[in-house]
Amino acid sequence: MALGDPYIDVATFKASVYFKDLDAFFDDDTQIHNFLLNITYLIDGYCKTSFWNGTITEDFVGNGKTKKMLRNYPILTVNSLTFNTLFGGASSGVISNDNYAINRSGLLQVGNGYYFDPNYRYFINYGCGYEGVPEDIKIATMMWAKIMADSVDTGNLALPEGATLTSFKYGKFMETYATGVTKTGAPQYKYDNVPQSIQGILRKYRKGGR
């Protein structure tokens, strides 16, 4: 699995979460994949980063300063930093790696007289992410899957109306429900409406710490 995949694969989900009267859903691995991918996107949006590792090119217009916080972290490698003019002048340029520094948290800083000129758009190609998705992120994904099955209307990515969740486990974490938990059609969760139990896990990873 890699950048763009759910944090929990379909086989793990099917082996770890048990539902009653949900045969049709479990026969459609694509639907389960999309359901888990939807949760992955919500986690990424809340934390403002991705937990898969990969190489991306991020672009930004100069802010007139010597520092710029990149969108993704942790930073693994930096491959290049280039720029193009916005309003005439030189067409493009390269900032060599001895003229900038970047820390693991994603703070990019230029030196030796350079600054991020507002007349230029900058492009940085870098590797970022974790060597493996942290276990607590996987647990958060599974927990959120349970919550969404309980109460969230996610359109065609939702669990079928009336689906009943009877138990949920991942690793040493497990919950069972004597009467089952049924989807009720509550409003869809967004980045700023994350369940409190999920926030507790994700907070340490979120940029800004809140």
Side-chain angles (χ1 to χ4, degrees), residues 24-205:
F25 183 78
F26 277 109
D27 284 342
D28 188 348
D29 283 1
T30 298
Q31 186 174 2
I32 298 174
H33 175 90
N34 291 338
F35 172 65
L36 296 171
L37 191 60
N38 191 47
I39 297 171
T40 296
Y41 290 154
L42 288 170
I43 289 174
D44 287 355
Y46 180 77
C47 294
K48 305 174 185 177
T49 191
S50 174
F51 294 93
W52 288 120
N53 66 69
T55 301
I56 66 169
T57 298
E58 180 176 335
D59 66 283
F60 57 91
V61 174
N63 56 12
K65 301 177 181 180
T66 60
K67 297 179 180 180
K68 170 68 179 177
M69 182 63 75
L70 300 179
R71 288 194 296 268
N72 296 282
Y73 70 94
I75 304 299
L76 302 176
T77 60
V78 177
N79 302 315
S80 64
L81 177 58
T82 62
F83 57 88
N84 287 335
T85 183
L86 294 177
F87 310 105
S91 59
S92 63
V94 177
I95 300 177
S96 61
N97 58 14
D98 57 347
N99 288 315
Y100 66 84
I102 189 167
N103 66 20
R104 186 172 169 81
S105 297
L107 179 64
L108 173 66
Q109 182 170 3
V110 290
N112 298 330
Y114 281 94
Y115 70 100
F116 294 119
D117 191 327
N119 294 313
Y120 290 85
R121 181 178 296 278
Y122 295 82
F123 302 85
I124 181 167
N125 181 272
Y126 61 98
C128 60
Y130 294 78
E131 295 300 331
V133 175
E135 287 300 308
D136 49 358
I137 295 299
K138 294 179 182 180
I139 291 173
T141 304
M142 295 296 289
M143 290 176 65
W144 207 337
K146 186 271 288 187
I147 292 170
M148 291 180 78
D150 174 16
S151 63
V152 180
D153 182 3
T154 56
N156 62 2
L157 299 181
L159 294 171
E161 197 70 46
T164 301
L165 179 67
T166 56
S167 66
F168 157 72
K169 70 180 180 67
Y170 183 78
K172 295 181 179 179
F173 183 92
M174 183 170 184
E175 291 180 349
T176 58
Y177 314 98
T179 58
V181 179
T182 303
K183 178 177 177 292
T184 58
Q188 182 173 353
Y189 286 106
K190 298 181 180 180
Y191 303 152
D192 58 352
N193 187 22
V194 179
Q196 289 293 325
S197 58
I198 308 299
Q199 287 187 39
I201 297 174
L202 301 181
R203 189 172 292 116
K204 70 178 181 180
Y205 295 104

Side-chain angles (χ1 to χ4, degrees), residues 12-33:
T12 299
F13 179 81
K14 291 170 72 171
S16 303
V17 182
Y18 301 93
F19 294 89
K20 179 182 179 182
D21 301 326
L22 205 55
D23 292 342
F25 183 78
F26 277 109
D27 284 342
D28 188 348
D29 283 1
T30 298
Q31 186 174 2
I32 298 174
H33 175 90

